[in-house]
Amino acid sequence: MSENSQNINIQAIQSLFQLQKEKALRLRAEPLQNREVRLKKIENWILGNQEELQKAIFSDFGKPYTETTTSEIFPVLAEIRHTLAHLHRWAAPTKIDAPLTYLGTRSEIRYEPKGVCLLIAPWNYPFNLCIGPLISCLAAGNTAIIKPSEMTPHTSALIKKMIASLFSEEEVSVIEGGAEVTTELLSLPFDHLFFTGSPAIGKVVMKAAAEHLTSVTLELGGKSPTVIDETAHLNDAARRIAFGKFINNGQTCIAPDYVLIHESKKEKFISLLNEHIQSQFGGGKKVDENSQDYARIVSQKHFQRIDALVQDAVQKGATIELEGSKNERTRFLSPVILSNVSMNSRIMEEEIFGPVLPIITYSNDSEVATVINSKPKPLGMYIFSNNKKFRESLISSTSAGAVCINDCVIQFTHPDLPFGGVNNSGIGKAHGHYGFLSFSNEKPSIRQKRGLSSTYFFYPPYTPLKKKLIDFILRWVA
Ligand code: NAD
């Protein structure tokens, strides 16, 4: 649906916000069971509407049905079940021991809901990245306004239908639209903003949040390096990189963006990678338009953007190691592998976010960290190596949102690992307990006992005895 046909009704957005604000206050007094009921409603809806979801996402960018099950439905169901299993423990106040200077006091950390939250989602995993954060948001006791991506209209419409069938609009509501609608939403004093998208729009969101000093979680993107050293198991590396890079047609925030490989392993790796691409996505042959297991590019604009990145790299000297077919009308782009890529080409400067993998060689281990550190901090770093010393040295000399050794992308679905970037790739963490904490205010509470307390020693008048005591505390206790 176009922005104009959305007919943005600013007053309606403001009254919805006000309704949610009042509801959020009431939710604070609710029992935990009510939050569980909300999560179970979402779980039941998903279980009863899997095919509708598969069809919607297929209509948006040709994602194979089974890929929707594994990468959109499974992670959300896992998030719900993990949250239901642990919510009582996460939401219970954490008791804090008293140090000597606080003898007699009792302290704890309470987890209060932040209030009204805005969740802004991207198009590339249009269900998972809308509903995943919603689980943490509701688990923490908040209300939510969701703004799905305008680029995947079938999925966004289904999400709107789903939310309207499960919740009153004062609890959870979906507002569709693009930049204009989001700008209106961002002008409101939300209690938390959870944004998933590009670093460029992340900056817009953070600027808007600053106006109201609203807290933010920014789940952004970047160029995730994938290192393969001389000791790596090449066949495993090729199989796992083929999957992590080309699932969702390369439109994955944590996909390996480029490979940095020891020069002695390049030829063999490219040949193995080609084999695994064919066996996973092409039914044993070159990937073509008949492949049932390969998604499409989301829009013509993105198709042209990715194609232009390849053309620019080739003009600057890159060799095409694998090139299949492409069809702009159907937005089909088969996997492309490039080598001899100049570091000055656009493909080595921008996030690729498509099925193109540049392979860069190195001869000396020390070159690897230099390349990675020359770029903004990535969302993920992948190291295929059986040399512990090399791995440890690389991990400690670089920064990334997450590190994954001898595999890629699997960090996303581990329920007990925090998910998020660092600086340009994001701020704050999501998933499981970390998601719950992002949507909660960790409120310390301290209770004093009656009568004499250790803090009296710090009250004036500062008699010689008190000064001595304070000196003693400074020296031995504080
Ligand atoms: P995007 O930043 O273009 O859009 C994200 C959201 O912001 C959409 O809902 C869009 O409507 C809204 N938006 C767009 N322009 C806006 C503006 N000017 N003002 C306010 N809101 C605006 O991102 P995208 O193209 O949907 O997704 C791709 C990007 O998201 C990639 O960079 C990718 O790495 C990143 N991403 C990150 C994660 C993660 O978990 N870290 C997950 C998926 C995607």
Side-chain angles (χ1 to χ4, degrees):
M1 199 178 287
S2 82
E3 189 89 355
N4 288 340
S5 63
Q6 285 291 323
N7 200 3
I8 310 165
N9 186 333
I10 297 166
Q11 266 182 346
I13 290 180
Q14 283 171 346
S15 19
L16 173 68
F17 180 79
Q18 194 50 39
L19 266 181
Q20 288 218 354
K21 202 137 188 80
E22 288 155 22
K23 178 70 178 178
L25 279 177
R26 296 200 294 278
L27 286 190
R28 300 170 73 95
E30 266 196 354
L32 216 50
Q33 285 79 348
N34 291 19
R35 301 184 195 176
E36 293 170 340
V37 168
R38 290 190 187 99
L39 301 193
K40 282 187 187 139
K41 282 205 272 189
I42 298 176
E43 180 184 22
N44 288 335
W45 186 94
I46 295 172
L47 291 173
N49 290 275
Q50 291 185 62
E51 207 183 322
E52 263 208 86
L53 261 173
Q54 290 166 328
K55 280 184 186 157
I57 301 178
F58 184 84
S59 306
D60 283 328
F61 58 102
K63 184 153 158 159
Y65 279 22
T66 309
E67 202 171 295
T68 288
T69 305
T70 56
S71 69
E72 305 268 0
I73 296 175
F74 167 75
V76 176
L77 286 178
E79 183 80 39
I80 293 175
R81 290 166 186 163
H82 181 70
T83 304
L84 285 172
H86 296 91
L87 186 55
H88 273 269
R89 190 165 55 76
W90 297 344
T94 308
K95 298 267 176 272
I96 303 293
D97 290 340
L100 212 55
T101 43
Y102 279 79
L103 269 186
T105 62
R106 282 171 192 271
S107 298
E108 62 186 17
I109 299 169
R110 296 169 188 232
Y111 303 94
E112 66 170 14
K114 284 194 170 171
V116 188
C117 302
L118 175 61
L119 316 182
I120 305 173
W123 53 263
N124 62 324
Y125 287 83
F127 185 73
N128 181 349
L129 298 175
C130 249
I131 306 304
L134 179 67
I135 305 308
S136 303
C137 177
L138 295 181
N142 302 285
T143 67
I145 295 180
I146 304 173
K147 212 298 288 168
S149 175
E150 70 282 17
M151 306 274 283
T152 42
H154 296 91
T155 315
S156 299
L158 185 59
I159 290 172
K160 192 175 171 78
K161 192 171 128 193
M162 158 189 159
I163 295 296
S165 73
L166 300 180
F167 301 105
S168 66
E169 61 169 2
E170 56 180 4
E171 284 174 339
V172 188
S173 193
V174 173
I175 295 187
E176 290 181 272
E180 215 177 307
V181 168
T182 319
T183 306
E184 280 309 324
L185 285 165
L186 285 171
S187 69
L188 296 168
F190 280 93
D191 298 302
H192 189 70
L193 298 180
F194 190 106
F195 170 82
T196 310
S198 59
I201 306 300
K203 290 176 192 171
V204 173
V205 171
M206 196 158 168
K207 271 191 194 145
E211 265 316 296
H212 302 290
L213 295 175
T214 296
S215 56
V216 292
T217 306
L218 302 177
E219 297 285 344
L220 311 177
K223 294 184 80 60
S224 298
T226 302
V227 180
I228 305 173
D229 81 350
E230 282 174 284
T231 67
H233 191 290
L234 277 193
N235 190 47
D236 275 3
R239 173 179 294 173
R240 291 165 188 178
I241 291 169
F243 171 76
K245 177 69 189 186
F246 298 105
I247 184 179
N248 218 40
N249 207 340
Q251 303 163 116
T252 302
C253 57
I254 46 173
D257 187 273
Y258 61 98
V259 163
L260 273 167
I261 189 166
H262 191 273
E263 59 188 6
S264 63
K265 302 290 171 187
K266 179 188 131 186
E267 296 305 327
K268 180 79 183 149
F269 173 71
I270 290 177
S271 140
L272 287 167
L273 183 61
N274 203 349
E275 277 174 29
H276 285 292
I277 289 171
Q278 293 196 7
S279 82
Q280 289 180 34
F281 299 98
K285 302 183 301 228
K286 275 196 155 191
V287 182
D288 63 24
E289 291 222 53
N290 297 319
S291 169
Q292 300 292 306
D293 299 318
Y294 191 65
R296 300 292 183 267
I297 302 294
V298 74
S299 68
Q300 239 83 27
K301 193 174 138 207
H302 275 282
F303 184 98
Q304 287 160 5
R305 179 187 62 79
I306 299 162
D307 201 35
L309 288 181
V310 175
Q311 303 315 324
D312 175 74
V314 170
Q315 269 169 25
K316 290 179 180 147
T319 309
I320 297 184
E321 300 280 356
L322 172 68
E323 187 187 35
S325 43
K326 57 182 181 186
N327 181 341
E328 184 171 338
R329 190 183 54 78
T330 57
R331 293 175 275 121
F332 172 81
L333 187 53
S334 69
V336 178
I337 302 175
L338 300 174
S339 68
N340 301 318
V341 181
S342 156
M343 293 306 269
N344 297 324
S345 44
R346 281 177 51 211
I347 207 157
M348 286 310 295
E349 283 165 357
E350 298 169 24
E351 181 181 4
I352 300 171
F353 221 58
V356 185
L357 187 64
I359 315 264
I360 312 287
T361 55
Y362 69 88
S363 51
N364 189 320
D365 287 356
S366 64
E367 293 165 42
V368 176
T370 309
V371 172
I372 295 171
N373 287 334
S374 70
K375 303 188 179 305
K377 294 173 189 171
L379 190 53
M381 177 171 79
Y382 306 117
I383 310 172
F384 289 86
S385 165
N386 289 312
N387 177 348
K388 189 171 177 207
K389 209 167 142 210
F390 172 73
R391 294 192 314 243
E392 290 305 317
S393 144
L394 192 55
I395 293 170
S396 58
S397 57
T398 56
S399 180
V403 170
C404 179
I405 297 162
N406 292 334
D407 209 334
C408 54
V409 307
I410 56 168
Q411 72 270 27
F412 185 88
T413 34
H414 192 304
D416 290 315
L417 285 179
F419 182 80
V422 50
N423 296 138
N424 197 66
S425 53
I427 293 175
K429 301 293 176 197
H431 294 182
H433 193 198
Y434 300 92
F436 172 85
L437 291 177
S438 293
F439 284 100
S440 304
N441 174 32
E442 293 171 72
K443 185 158 82 175
S445 158
I446 178 163
R447 180 155 59 93
Q448 185 60 284
K449 70 179 177 58
R450 268 186 65 210
L452 180 70
S453 94
S454 53
T455 49
Y456 286 174
F457 296 129
F458 297 95
Y459 292 4
Y462 302 118
T463 61
L465 177 65
K466 276 191 186 166
K467 283 185 186 166
K468 270 194 182 151
L469 265 169
I470 289 168
D471 276 351
F472 177 82
I473 288 170
L474 271 190
R475 192 174 301 233
W476 302 110
V477 184

